[in-house]
Amino acid sequence: MTLMTRLALGSTLLCVTCAGHAADASERVADLIEKGSVNLALRYRYEGVDDDAFSKDADASTLRTRLTLASGSFMDFSGLLEFDNISEVIADDFDAGFGNTPNRTEYPLVADPDGTEINQLYVDYDGVEHLKLRLGRQRITMDNHRFIGNVGWRQNEQTYSGLSAAWNRDNVHVSYAFIDDVRRIPGEEVPAGRDEQDNTHFLNGRLDVAGIGAISGYYYHIDSHDSPGFSTATFGVRLAGKQDLDNLAVRYAAELAHQRDAGDNPASYDANYYVLDGGIVLENVDVGIGWEVLEGNASAANEAFRTPFATLHAFNGWADKFLATPAEGLDDRYVKAKATFGNLIAEARYHRFEGEDSGDDLGDEWNLQVGYQFEPRLRADLVFADFDGDDPRYSDTTKFWVMVTATLP
């Protein structure tokens, strides 16, 4: 019995149980609708890709329409249903990848396949103080999305089917999730869009310490039925904080994690991950540096530290050249600057990439973004990424995006 079938049966049982409370049932059921909400969100995006490995450039013009229906509360239960539609508009000269567009392989990948799906469908229960339970298909993110994320950058979001629990009290926060399957960005029309899990658990605990920052500890056990190479056990600790001084602030983050193979992973390995990130914030300007390392083995395939459920676009350059960790691992050293001028936001980053185990130069990359918030429900962004490869495996690539996001009401 699939999770969604169990969810449907559980919802039916809930309705039958509630029917026994005839005295005020009609009024409470009415609250489900009257205290609910309807939200419509639109995101248009043009993505252009010039990749030297392909004979043609990609021009992808897509529109995501998201309809979200949230209920009110009834006996501490509530629910949410969310639909996504991604449509190609104007320009469709791109390969959506993973078998979605087999007749467009002469174009670079732009992983925004068209289609309509249920993005989220879940029931919440918050009848226990400090605790919230959620059953169904849902968005799950942990810490900074480096290991568990929703890949919100792409038009088709990554969501998880399972049971999650969040316990929050004062400065202590604990999150747990048991995952039945993962709906990935390629979409439901192709096998790569769904990754069934056998025994996958996410556990994350965070303690907010005054004067120090947020200290997190986590254990992520991935046991993938459809993609055994994803099966890993990862545990680690993270510190992130900010200190206000006289005329400026200093922010910092440090993280260390260890990973080993799990489940039916065909590889047998151990690898480490670590990152150091810091910056100075002076009024509306933030300037920082960082160093991120994912260990690998140059002499053996499939033994590098991997993060299959991360929001990968946020890390290692916006050109997305390192969505999969190279066999020799990855050493990413970067500088970044961000400035805010009223409703205008500008950001720049520079990355230098090397193989962690080999020491070989892999390339460098510039990233630029300018965004303007016209009003709370309307924003536009221009984004640019330019990767210059130093290794034959990683071709020179330039990407450019124009995005407009609007929400109603």
Side-chain angles (χ1 to χ4, degrees), residues 38 59 78 104 116 141 144 153 167 170 175 191 214 276 312 330 335 350 355 361 381:
V38 179
D59 292 290
S78 61
R104 301 186 200 164
T116 301
T141 65
N144 63 339
W153 167 254
W167 187 84
D170 299 328
S175 298
L276 295 172
L312 292 165
L330 184 66
V335 295
Y350 173 77
D361 290 336
D381 288 272

Side-chain angles (χ1 to χ4, degrees), residues 179-201:
I179 304 302
D180 186 62
D181 75 349
V182 184
R183 301 300 175 93
R184 297 173 62 79
I185 62 172
E188 296 180 347
E189 297 300 317
V190 294
R194 181 171 181 176
D195 192 351
E196 291 191 10
Q197 306 295 299
D198 288 331
N199 187 31
T200 293
H201 305 263

Side-chain angles (χ1 to χ4, degrees), residues 15-35:
C15 292
V16 172
T17 303
C18 292
H21 299 265
D24 59 346
S26 60
E27 179 180 349
R28 292 185 178 183
V29 171
D31 286 345
L32 289 172
I33 300 174
E34 294 176 0
K35 295 184 179 180

Side-chain angles (χ1 to χ4, degrees), residues 125 135 247 279 284 288 293 321 406:
Y125 176 72
L135 175 65
N247 298 314
N284 60 335
V293 175
K321 303 301 288 188

Side-chain angles (χ1 to χ4, degrees), residues 47-303:
E47 181 171 342
V49 183
D50 178 0
D51 188 327
D52 285 357
F54 293 85
S55 60
K56 296 183 178 181
D57 295 345
D59 292 290
S61 177
T62 59
L63 174 66
R64 184 184 72 192
T65 304
R66 172 171 290 170
L67 177 64
T68 306
L69 308 173
S71 77
S73 181
F74 175 44
M75 297 180 64
D76 299 316
F77 286 91
S78 61
L80 182 140
L81 173 60
E82 185 171 80
F83 297 95
D84 277 358
N85 171 267
I86 296 95
S87 299
E88 298 172 354
V89 294
I90 306 174
D92 60 0
D93 297 329
F94 68 98
D95 183 6
F98 310 97
N100 279 293
T101 52
N103 59 333
R104 301 186 200 164
T105 55
E106 70 273 28
Y107 296 104
L109 172 68
V110 178
D112 290 330
D114 63 354
T116 301
E117 298 181 5
I118 294 177
N119 191 50
Q120 296 190 89
L121 173 58
Y122 60 75
V123 172
D124 279 346
Y125 176 72
D126 58 2
V128 179
E129 188 177 12
H130 307 298
L131 178 68
K132 173 171 280 190
L133 301 176
R134 178 169 292 174
L135 175 65
R137 190 182 305 176
Q138 57 193 277
R139 178 182 299 116
I140 297 178
T141 65
M142 294 189 174
D143 286 335
N144 63 339
H145 299 214
R146 190 59 182 100
F147 297 101
I148 309 300
N150 64 320
V151 197
W153 167 254
R154 298 259 54 110
Q155 296 286 56
N156 190 35
E157 189 177 12
Q158 177 172 276
T159 55
Y160 304 81
S161 294
L163 173 66
S164 66
W167 187 84
N168 298 284
R169 185 172 184 178
D170 299 328
N171 61 338
V172 180
H173 313 273
V174 180
S175 298
Y176 167 78
F178 170 77
I179 304 302
D180 186 62
D181 75 349
V182 184
R183 301 300 175 93
R184 297 173 62 79
I185 62 172
E188 296 180 347
E189 297 300 317
V190 294
R194 181 171 181 176
D195 192 351
E196 291 191 10
Q197 306 295 299
D198 288 331
N199 187 31
T200 293
H201 305 263
F202 304 151
L203 178 63
N204 183 292
R206 189 183 86 239
L207 178 65
D208 296 328
V209 182
I212 297 178
I215 303 173
S216 301
Y218 51 84
Y219 177 71
Y220 305 134
H221 185 95
I222 299 173
D223 189 351
S224 173
H225 175 81
D226 293 328
S227 304
F230 288 173
S231 297
T232 53
T234 304
F235 58 90
V237 292
R238 174 179 174 81
L239 167 66
K242 183 178 179 181
Q243 298 292 329
D244 293 322
L245 304 178
D246 291 338
N247 298 314
L248 53 82
V250 177
R251 58 168 181 80
Y252 47 86
E255 187 168 358
L256 174 65
H258 180 77
Q259 183 178 91
R260 63 177 184 272
D261 59 284
D264 293 326
N265 193 323
S268 177
Y269 75 101
D270 292 90
N272 295 314
Y273 166 89
Y274 52 90
V275 64
L276 295 172
D277 185 283
I280 295 175
V281 182
L282 180 61
E283 295 183 350
N284 60 335
V285 177
D286 182 328
V287 179
I289 61 174
W291 180 30
E292 183 182 46
V293 175
L294 298 90
E295 289 186 348
N297 186 343
S299 61
N302 303 317
E303 294 188 7

